[in-house]
């Protein structure tokens, strides 16, 4: 399929192909939707086997960012960038700076940050060429490592699940199976312990699991056995695709709520979760803490403000669950509706219109909000 045909299918606004032959840069920046504000998305560096795979990934990921930002209630659109290459062998200061110049040419329509294959120090190099970068270290005025605040957001999401499923939002006495004891899983475990919940964990990295047993005092099980653990909540905090047609029948939990991106492997798995009566907290709603943190950073980082904003994950999820109940649809479908409704309202505002209580569309007298973050 041609690039424009793929953009047409996904309703992408703009795709930029960038190259600098001298430094070996080959990158694609996809801007999916800027209805609510400038597109924001990380820069992934990965040795894609083909250009087509890189394009597919950046188109999918940028679309996901539109939904994530909309559901998070942020005035941000969705974008993403991929640099084609092996980060261990091909990353250089010159390449990152060349990439930064391309980001700069987009003049604030696209903001970026770290992702798979890039880190905070890389973004600080990109920052030497463009101000349109977030996710910098605290020393440089950024929000720093987003994992603690992402974990805090997941905890708020779990409380919303508890309220929906058990009628009150306390996690006291609950048993949580945490898959992946990496940055987020580790912080989440600490928060759950503070909330008097019990954690059973797993990690493919045996050293990490041993460290968790020793330092956090939790029980751990073999990576594959985590699906069979009897728990109130299953928290996928490792890689995507944990919830599949093979794993759903094994789960012994009432709730799925974790930080991983793209937790559900397929549409049949979504249906199976729903048929089994398990409450699923849609991944892009519950794991939006990191994105919210960057949003605050773009306006001048303030940790109290970031925490307050991330606390909204509780009400966002409650709203998603309420849409799911009202329309008798899955929570995944409800999250998409929730985001799409906000996009539709934003599209009206952008043109100086708004929807009235009776559903009629009227011209607003107020000027639409500025679409750009205030800093810089
Ligand atoms: P991380 O790399 O620090 O941790 C992931 C951990 O999962 C690692 O310890 C790894 O060994 C382990 N792991 C991998 N496969 C596993 C498996 N099959 N079973 C058990 N353990 C396994 O990553 P992170 O920053 O903690 O992020 C965790 C997840 O949350 C990722 O999917 C990430 O995309 C998502 N996420 C993270 C953030 C953030 O702020 N860090 C924000 C949003 C979403």
């Amino acid at each position: 399929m041609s690039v424009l045909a793929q953009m047409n299918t996904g309703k992408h606004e703009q795709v930029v192909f960038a190259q600098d032959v001298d430094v070996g840069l080959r990158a694609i920046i996809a801007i999916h939707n800027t209805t609510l504000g400038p597109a924001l998305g990380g820069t992934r560096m990965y040795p894609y086997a083909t250009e087509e795979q890189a394009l597919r990934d950046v188109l999918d990921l940028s679309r996901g960012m539109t939904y994530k930002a909309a559901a998070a209630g942020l005035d941000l659109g969705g974008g993403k960038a991929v640099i084609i290459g092996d980060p261990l062998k091909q990353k250089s200061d010159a390449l990152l700076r060349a990439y930064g110049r391309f980001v700069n040419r987009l003049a604030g329509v696209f903001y970026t940050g770290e992702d798979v294959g890039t880190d905070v120090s890389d973004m600080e190099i990109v920052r030497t060429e463009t101000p349109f970068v977030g996710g910098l270290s605290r020393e440089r005025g950024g929000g720093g490592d987003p994992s603690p605040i992402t974990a805090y957001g997941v905890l708020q999401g779990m409380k919303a699940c508890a309220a929906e499923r058990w009628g009150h939002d306390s996690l006291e006495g609950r048993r949580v199976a945490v898959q992946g004891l990496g940055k987020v899983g580790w912080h989440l475990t600490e928060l759950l312990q503070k909330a008097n919940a019990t954690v059973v964990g797993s990690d493919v990295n045996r050293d990490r699991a041993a460290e968790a047993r020793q330092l956090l005092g939790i029980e751990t099980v073999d990576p594959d056995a985590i699906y069979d653990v009897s728990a109130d909540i299953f928290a996928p905090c490792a890689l995507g695709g944990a919830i599949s047609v093979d794993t759903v029948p094994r789960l012994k939990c009432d709730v799925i709520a974790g930080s991983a991106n793209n937790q559900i492997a397929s549409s049949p798995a979504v249906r199976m979760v729903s048929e089994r009566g398990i409450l699923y907290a849609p991944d892009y709603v519950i794991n939006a803490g990191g994105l919210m943190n960057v949003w605050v950073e773009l306006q001048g980082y303030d940790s109290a403000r970031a925490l307050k904003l991330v606390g909204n994950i509780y009400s966002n999820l409650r709203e998603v669950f309420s849409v799911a109940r009202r329309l008798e649809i899955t929570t995944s479908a409800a999250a998409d509706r929730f985001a799409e409704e906000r996009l539709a309202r934003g599209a009206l505002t952008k043109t100086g219109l708004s929807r009235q209580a009776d559903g009629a569309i009227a011209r607003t007298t107020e000027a639409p909000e500025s679409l750009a973050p205030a800093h810089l």
Side-chain angles (χ1 to χ4, degrees):
M1 214 196 292
S2 77
V3 179
L4 278 169
Q6 291 187 63
M7 287 173 68
N8 189 42
T9 309
K11 297 192 180 160
H12 289 76
E13 289 179 11
Q14 190 179 1
V15 175
V16 177
F17 288 79
Q19 96 169 332
D20 185 321
V21 177
D22 294 338
V23 300
L25 172 75
R26 289 190 304 150
I28 312 174
I29 301 171
I31 294 166
H32 176 252
N33 188 301
T34 57
T35 300
L36 299 174
L40 187 141
T43 297
R44 181 166 290 196
M45 183 161 184
Y46 188 79
Y48 293 99
T50 64
E51 211 172 283
E52 287 69 30
Q53 278 178 16
L55 179 64
R56 191 66 266 147
D57 210 24
V58 80
L59 291 178
D60 288 348
L61 292 165
S62 61
R63 188 166 185 276
M65 289 305 295
T66 297
Y67 278 74
K68 188 166 183 164
L74 304 177
D75 291 336
L76 283 175
K80 198 85 182 182
V82 294
I83 297 176
I84 303 171
D86 184 341
L88 298 177
K89 296 189 192 137
Q90 285 160 278
K91 196 160 47 179
S92 66
D93 288 12
L95 178 141
L96 291 166
R97 291 187 70 145
Y99 170 67
R101 290 193 287 278
F102 282 110
V103 172
N104 201 47
R105 275 194 206 166
L106 291 169
V109 168
F110 173 68
Y111 282 70
T112 197
E114 63 173 298
D115 198 74
V116 175
T118 61
D119 59 24
V120 173
S121 63
D122 296 332
M123 288 309 123
E124 284 172 355
I125 297 168
V126 174
R127 178 72 175 83
T128 60
E129 298 287 349
T130 180
F132 305 116
V133 186
L136 304 181
S137 65
R138 287 282 177 108
E139 298 76 53
R140 305 228 174 184
D145 175 9
S147 325
I149 204 150
T150 299
Y152 175 72
V154 173
L155 187 85
Q156 302 314 307
M158 284 184 175
K159 288 184 176 183
C161 293
E164 178 74 13
R165 180 43 46 103
W166 302 302
H168 55 85
D169 62 18
S170 169
L171 295 170
E172 186 162 357
R174 296 287 167 202
R175 191 169 148 90
V176 184
V178 177
Q179 180 187 46
L181 297 162
K183 294 188 290 292
V184 179
W186 189 281
H187 291 295
L188 179 64
T189 299
E190 290 178 325
L191 293 172
L192 285 165
Q193 289 176 326
K194 275 192 199 136
N196 295 319
T198 309
V199 173
V200 182
S202 74
D203 202 296
V204 283
N205 178 339
R206 284 175 181 275
D207 293 341
R208 187 72 173 175
E211 219 179 333
R213 278 196 301 278
Q214 201 188 353
L215 300 179
L216 297 170
I218 59 167
E219 180 194 339
T220 63
V221 295
D222 284 344
D224 188 56
I226 197 78
Y227 297 109
D228 305 312
V229 167
S230 188
D232 297 298
I233 303 175
F234 177 70
C237 297
L239 304 180
I243 310 300
S244 69
V245 290
D246 298 323
T247 59
V248 177
R250 293 170 58 188
L251 293 176
K252 297 185 184 71
C253 62
D254 288 336
V255 169
I256 298 172
S259 73
N261 281 311
N262 306 322
Q263 289 171 27
I264 306 234
S266 62
S267 312
V270 176
R271 278 196 298 279
M272 282 173 86
V273 168
S274 165
E275 281 160 16
R276 284 211 46 203
I278 298 174
L279 179 66
Y280 168 63
D283 45 16
Y284 68 79
V285 183
I286 193 169
N287 75 10
L291 176 65
M292 290 169 164
N293 207 42
V294 173
W295 165 246
V296 173
E297 178 179 330
L298 294 178
Q299 292 153 85
Y301 194 66
D302 174 343
S303 56
R305 200 173 153 238
L307 271 182
K308 190 158 180 276
L309 190 61
V310 174
N312 291 347
I313 288 177
Y314 179 91
S315 45
N316 291 345
L317 266 180
R318 296 226 58 187
E319 181 62 30
V320 166
F321 295 149
S322 138
V323 172
R325 259 186 278 114
R326 199 173 64 241
L327 302 179
E328 297 182 4
I329 54 178
T330 64
T331 53
S332 303
D336 288 354
R337 287 274 182 115
F338 181 62
E340 281 159 7
E341 275 171 22
R342 191 159 177 263
L343 279 166
R345 281 198 304 276
L348 287 177
T349 312
K350 208 172 174 181
T351 50
L353 301 171
S354 70
R355 194 176 288 279
Q356 308 297 293
D358 62 1
I361 292 172
R363 185 159 292 283
T364 56
T365 45
E366 289 168 30
E369 269 181 45
S370 162
L371 293 176
H375 88 307
L376 309 175

